[in-house]
Structure formats: structure tokens, C-alpha cells
Amino acid sequence: MIQNTKQIKNALISISNTTGIIDFAKSLVSKNIKLFATSGTAKLLKKNNINVIKIAHYTQCPEIMNSRIKTLHHKIYASILAQPEKDKKIIKKNNIILMDMIIVNFYPFSTNLQNKNLIFKNAMENIDIGGPSMVRAAAKNYKNVLVIVKPKLYSFIVQEMTKNNNIITNKTKLNFATIALKYVMHYDEKIYHYFKKKNNTTSINPFQKTLPTHLTLQLIKKQDLYYGENKLEQAAWYTTDQNKNYGKLNIQQLQGKTLSYNNLLDIYSSLSCIQEFKEFTCVILKHGNPCGISTSSNNYNAYLLAYETDPISAFGGTIAFNTILDEKTTQTILEKQFLEIILAPEFTHEAKKALNKKPNLRVIQYLKNYNYSYYHIDIKSIYGDFLIQNNIQNTIKTKKWKIVSKKIPTLKEIHDAKFALKVVKHLKSNAVVFVKNKTTITIGSGQTSRIDAIKIAINKTNNSLSLKNTILASDAFFPFKDSIELISNKKISCIIQPGGSIQDKKIIHSVNQHKISMIFTKSRYFKH
């Protein structure tokens, strides 16, 4: 049933994107619809033998100020905003022609910004004024005016008018008005981000003390993902950057299957962890948790040592490096294990050739010097509400550390303790990690009690791997001394933890009894 019986008689066209407009305009003329257009659009239509009236002839006002003012005229907005039944006298007195349809799209602001030589003054000329104003006016008066902002919608309108004798339903008009307002919102957001960049400000400053009272996020779909957290769930990758081909997660997929939701989470976790290290380092990660990390003299050794931490968990995981990946290391990885994703800032030509033999393997290249943690704002959805936190990757400040044990850790133990903290802060809580020579020996994570995390880490060694002289790092304080008692017979040399438990005195007494050194960091690294 058609809700609106008003036929389309007059259409105003003012466009920058001319895709499909010639065929659409011809269809409108064939349906006896009178066309009005701004000078540039009118020139294009006339060139294609389409009857059109310049909008300046209707307003009796020329386009002025280097075309900055073309549609900013009261007769145009009266044509769009008029309510025929209420405004009959005004319409007649001022010779207002009612526009039943407006076809408008804006100056390509974001496209022009891709020109690196574009100066600020010229960028300002790409800000459309009249177009967004007309779209807002038409959306406000959607029952009387159809607004079209996207060429791909032309064919739908032609079909509906052909079917309904030039009548467009209110349902369609409301739908198109909604699309148009979203189009305006995206356009304004691009301009805002440009100004913000020029002004050297950020909408969310990760280093500000308080989160903003009002927060606006403009998300642009970057790509559909293979599947969500589970295969029956849909997922997509969105970015806040105005150029969706760039975004804050600045990575390039060189080969492999389409990324999934879980793949991106693993990539994010891998990058967050690998950027902690400056020397040759390999991070092996599974389901968001590092399961083996090593810093060594080269990538080959770093991978072998990281792999030995937990070969079982490494199966089907993600491997990340912080330096260029060579052929020897690549071949060894492919021979030793199955993996889903491999990341590096660069790959040698020979390494790429070796990886090409595994076409389904997702190969990701990232910017080595890109500060991924700067944009680390966490947003979680809970039944329509949102939890937002300013989750900065805390710098490890050794000056705040306090040695609380009688036994003083050696310089080597302090270096290993710092390495262990860099690992444990990326593990799901409750978490512990045992480290020796800047290599993880065993890891326990994602447990509801700290002692269970320790038990799992110890059990992973199958009693075949010595924990003697290892460093134990914990993401939060030890609530009881039972954990200390458990590890005392393993000859652990040093423990590093935040401290702050009401049981601290008992725990310090326990490590002193067992001749273990202990460092309090005063920083907790819970990760849920």
C-alpha cells in the first residue's frame, strides 16, 4: 500500500560525484520530472542533451564568491522545507517551486586530502557548505522531499517510481533520509579529524587524568572478517581513522586466508607484547596469551628458545618477531610446527618465497617504529552499555622497585626480572612466568587463584626441566605464603611482584627463610 500520493515533479541536482547521473537524469526527464541544477552539474547535463534549468535562474541570484555560494539562498531552502498545506500563501506569494527530490553529494574532502602536497588553504575550499545544509533540510522534511546522496541508490528509485506512477513511499523517504544524515555525519567527521590533526590534538588523550564526559566515536568498516569468535558469529573490522585503508592497527596482510575476529585479537596481543623488546625477540602466542618468549642474539635462536617453552601450546599459534625475518628461521618454523599467523616488520625475499609454499598461512607485516600502545583505549560492551578505560602500556620503572628480602638480587637477575615483567603484563590473570637468560621457561596464566597458576606452570615442565636459578614474576601480589612454600624446593632465585598484600610481612619472612630474593614493583598488571 502506498502511503504517499504526491508525485515527484521537480528535482534539484547538485553533485560532485557524477557516477550514473546521466542515465538517472534521463530517466527522470522521461517521467516528465523537471530538473534544476547548479552550474557545473547543469553544464554536464546539457552536454548530454538533457533539459535542465540552472538554479541561478530560479533564484535570480548568481553563483558568487568563487562558487562558495551557489545554493545558499532562501528560495532554495523554501523549496525544500515548505509544508504545502501549511505554507500555501507563502509559496504563492514568493513564487516558490517545491522540490520533491534532491540529488546531492559533497565535495570529495577526504579524497583530496590524500594529495600530500595539498595545503591547508586549499583543503578548506573542499569543505562543502550548501550540500550538507540542503541534505539536512530535506531529511527534516522527508515526507515531502526525497533526498538521494549515493549513486548506487538511483536504480532503486527509478524502479519504485515506475511501479508507483512517480510516487515514492514515506517508508522509502525515511530510509533515504536516514542514509543521507549518516552520510553528512561521516563527512563532518572527516573534516573534524583533519582540523584535529592540524591542531595537534586527540579526541581521547591516553595521557589525560580523566576520561571525557562526552565521547563520540565514528567507526568505519575496514573489512568483513572470516568469522567471529566462533564460526557461527559474524564479525567485521572497524577503524576510527578517516582513511579505512590505514587505521590505527597499521598492518599489511601479505598472504593467507581472510583474517578472523580471533586472528585480529591475536595480532593485537602479539604487537602489544613484541614492541616491549628492542633486541632480537620472538613471541609465540596462543588464544591471546604468550606461551613462549625469548630474546637472543638472532631470530633463529630466539625462536628455538621460545618454542621450547611450550611446544604443545605453540601448535596453531601466532609467531611475532621485532626484526626482519630471514629464510633460515622461516624454514625452521615451517618444519617444526603448524601456525596460523606470522608477523614481522619485514621479510627477506627468500623468507617470502618459503612462506608462499603455505598459501593459507596469514603473513602480516607491521610498522616497526609505530607506537601501537599510544592508541590503546579499551572499550567493552556489556548489554548495550560500555566500559571504557585508558589502558596505557605502562613503562616499567625500575627506580620504583624495592628490594624487600635479605638476599639481594644480582644484576643479571634484575635484567631477567625486567624481562619477566614485560611478559607477565601481557598474560591473562592470574598469571606467573618463570624466566632465565631472557627466555621464558614455563608460564601459568588465566587462573582463578595464583597458586593454581604456579601449579600449572610447574606441571608444564613435567619435572624434566629445572627451575633452578629462574626468576618468577607475578602480575599481582601473593595473597598468601602458600605459593612461596610451593616453589621453595624448586630453587627459584628471585621473585618479582607488586606487593601490597596484608600478608606481605609473612611472605617476606618466607622468602628470607628459603633464601630467595624478592622485589616489589608497586605496579599491578591485571588483564581480564
Side-chain angles (χ1 to χ4, degrees):
M1 181 178 177
I2 299 173
Q3 298 169 314
N4 189 349
T5 57
K6 182 185 175 186
Q7 289 185 319
I8 303 290
K9 294 180 180 179
N10 300 302
L12 189 159
I13 310 175
S14 179
I15 55 173
S16 288
N17 182 356
T18 60
T19 303
I21 194 62
I22 301 303
D23 290 338
F24 186 44
K26 287 180 179 179
S27 296
L28 296 179
V29 171
S30 71
K31 297 179 183 300
N32 297 317
I33 295 172
K34 190 177 292 185
L35 304 184
F36 297 79
T38 48
S39 59
T41 305
K43 183 178 179 181
L44 175 66
L45 297 179
K46 286 183 177 180
K47 186 178 178 180
N48 286 273
N49 300 315
I50 299 171
N51 291 327
V52 61
I53 300 169
K54 284 187 178 181
I55 203 71
H57 292 167
Y58 164 55
T59 61
Q60 292 299 300
C61 181
E63 297 179 5
I64 58 174
M65 298 179 180
N66 296 317
S67 292
R68 275 191 166 197
I69 298 178
K70 292 187 284 190
T71 57
L72 296 174
H73 194 280
H74 70 279
K75 286 190 75 172
I76 291 177
Y77 289 93
S79 297
I80 298 171
L81 287 166
Q83 300 175 81
E85 297 302 317
K86 291 184 179 181
D87 302 323
K88 281 182 181 179
K89 291 182 180 179
I90 296 175
I91 292 168
K92 184 176 181 181
K93 180 180 178 181
N94 293 279
N95 297 317
I96 303 299
I97 298 173
L98 299 181
M99 296 297 165
D100 311 300
M101 175 191 294
I102 69 165
I103 303 107
V104 178
N105 54 61
F106 309 153
Y107 297 150
F109 186 81
S110 59
T111 303
N112 289 327
L113 290 184
Q114 294 177 16
N115 178 3
K116 294 182 180 179
N117 297 319
L118 184 70
I119 60 175
F120 186 74
K121 179 181 176 182
N122 292 340
M124 294 304 95
E125 294 305 314
N126 291 318
I127 298 177
D128 203 315
I129 306 299
S133 299
M134 287 191 293
V135 167
R136 285 191 178 93
K140 180 176 181 176
N141 197 25
Y142 76 89
K143 288 185 178 180
N144 295 304
V145 184
L146 171 70
V147 54
I148 310 172
V149 293
K150 296 186 176 181
K152 67 180 181 180
L153 302 173
Y154 296 160
S155 60
F156 180 88
I157 292 302
V158 171
Q159 290 173 15
E160 187 161 318
M161 286 196 300
T162 301
K163 181 180 177 181
N164 299 329
N165 192 26
N166 283 14
I167 295 172
I168 300 296
T169 65
N170 282 341
K171 181 180 179 181
T172 296
K173 287 182 177 180
L174 178 59
N175 185 27
F176 273 52
T178 305
I179 293 170
L181 289 173
K182 188 175 181 181
Y183 177 72
V184 174
M185 181 177 69
H186 286 173
Y187 190 76
D188 287 343
E189 187 74 11
K190 292 169 186 175
I191 297 169
Y192 161 70
H193 278 294
Y194 180 72
F195 271 77
K196 183 182 71 172
K197 187 176 181 180
K198 286 292 179 182
N199 195 35
N200 294 319
T201 61
T202 56
S203 57
I204 305 176
N205 182 353
F207 302 105
Q208 66 188 26
K209 292 183 179 179
T210 59
L211 292 168
T213 304
H214 300 282
L215 177 62
T216 301
L217 288 177
Q218 179 63 53
L219 302 179
I220 306 165
K221 185 189 283 188
K222 185 163 184 168
Q223 71 177 66
D224 289 312
L225 299 176
Y226 196 38
Y227 51 78
E229 196 164 8
N230 299 292
K231 286 195 174 182
L232 294 178
E233 295 164 339
Q234 292 183 340
W237 176 2
Y238 290 82
T239 177
T240 56
D241 199 281
Q242 61 180 338
N243 182 355
K244 70 176 185 179
N245 294 322
Y246 181 73
K248 299 297 186 295
L249 182 60
N250 191 358
I251 61 173
Q252 181 183 2
Q253 183 173 359
L254 303 183
Q255 70 169 59
K257 294 189 291 186
T258 303
L259 293 171
S260 72
Y261 177 94
N262 292 335
N263 291 152
L264 278 173
L265 288 179
D266 284 343
I267 289 169
Y268 156 73
S269 297
S270 299
L271 289 175
S272 298
C273 188
I274 195 69
Q275 69 171 352
E276 298 270 7
F277 306 96
K278 303 301 180 185
E279 304 165 83
F280 290 98
T281 301
C282 174
V283 171
I284 304 178
L285 181 136
K286 184 73 170 292
H287 293 171
N289 269 311
C291 58
I293 301 179
S294 179
T295 292
S296 190
S297 57
N298 54 60
N299 278 336
Y300 179 75
N301 289 335
Y303 165 70
L304 290 178
L305 291 167
Y307 178 77
E308 287 304 318
T309 301
D310 191 349
I312 295 174
S313 295
F315 180 85
T318 297
I319 302 178
F321 295 90
N322 60 353
T323 54
I324 185 169
L325 187 57
D326 59 283
E327 181 186 18
K328 179 182 177 182
T329 307
T330 302
Q331 290 283 17
T332 302
I333 293 169
L334 297 178
E335 290 168 6
K336 288 184 76 70
Q337 70 170 105
F338 167 72
L339 68 158
E340 289 279 351
I341 308 167
I342 189 164
L343 299 98
E346 195 175 348
F347 299 83
T348 65
H349 177 70
E350 292 75 18
K352 286 181 180 179
K353 285 180 67 176
L355 292 167
N356 285 339
K357 296 176 182 177
K358 300 285 185 180
N360 288 333
L361 175 60
R362 298 168 175 93
V363 178
I364 305 295
Q365 185 168 318
Y366 67 91
L367 287 182
K368 182 177 181 180
N369 297 321
Y370 189 76
N371 188 3
Y372 290 95
S373 64
Y374 182 83
Y375 297 100
H376 192 174
I377 301 296
D378 271 351
I379 301 177
K380 288 184 173 64
S381 163
I382 50 170
Y383 296 115
D385 290 332
F386 296 89
L387 302 178
I388 299 177
Q389 72 168 342
N390 189 348
N391 191 0
I392 303 167
Q393 293 292 329
N394 296 323
T395 302
I396 294 172
K397 298 177 181 178
T398 54
K399 289 182 180 180
K400 289 187 176 182
W401 290 6
K402 183 180 180 181
I403 299 169
V404 295
S405 58
K406 291 180 180 178
K407 181 188 174 189
I408 305 300
T410 66
L411 183 60
K412 179 181 179 301
E413 287 172 341
I414 288 174
H415 287 320
D416 270 352
K418 188 174 182 180
F419 177 92
L421 274 190
K422 289 180 179 181
V423 176
V424 82
K425 65 193 264 193
H426 294 281
L427 295 167
K428 297 290 193 304
S429 302
N430 287 313
V432 295
V433 58
F434 293 78
V435 165
K436 188 175 182 180
N437 298 326
K438 294 185 179 179
T439 296
T440 54
I441 304 303
T442 185
I443 294 170
S445 64
Q447 300 305 306
T448 51
S449 71
R450 196 150 307 279
I451 194 165
D452 281 343
I454 292 173
K455 286 177 180 178
I456 287 174
I458 292 173
N459 288 339
K460 280 186 175 182
T461 66
N462 293 321
N463 295 316
S464 62
L465 191 64
S466 173
L467 295 178
K468 185 178 180 181
N469 295 328
T470 57
I471 309 299
L472 169 61
S474 175
D475 64 337
F477 63 64
F478 288 95
F480 306 104
K481 66 175 185 177
D482 54 358
S483 295
I484 309 301
E485 303 297 333
L486 179 63
I487 63 174
S488 62
N489 63 346
K490 297 295 180 181
K491 306 299 181 183
I492 308 299
S493 64
C494 178
I495 296 171
I496 185 164
Q497 58 134 323
S501 168
I502 60 173
Q503 300 283 342
D504 275 353
K505 287 185 179 180
K506 292 181 179 179
I507 291 165
I508 294 170
H509 178 72
S510 182
V511 296
N512 285 336
Q513 277 187 319
H514 298 291
K515 298 181 181 180
I516 301 171
S517 59
M518 179 176 279
I519 304 168
F520 280 1
T521 65
K522 301 179 183 179
S523 294
R524 189 180 75 176
Y525 298 107
F526 266 171
K527 193 169 186 285
H528 288 80

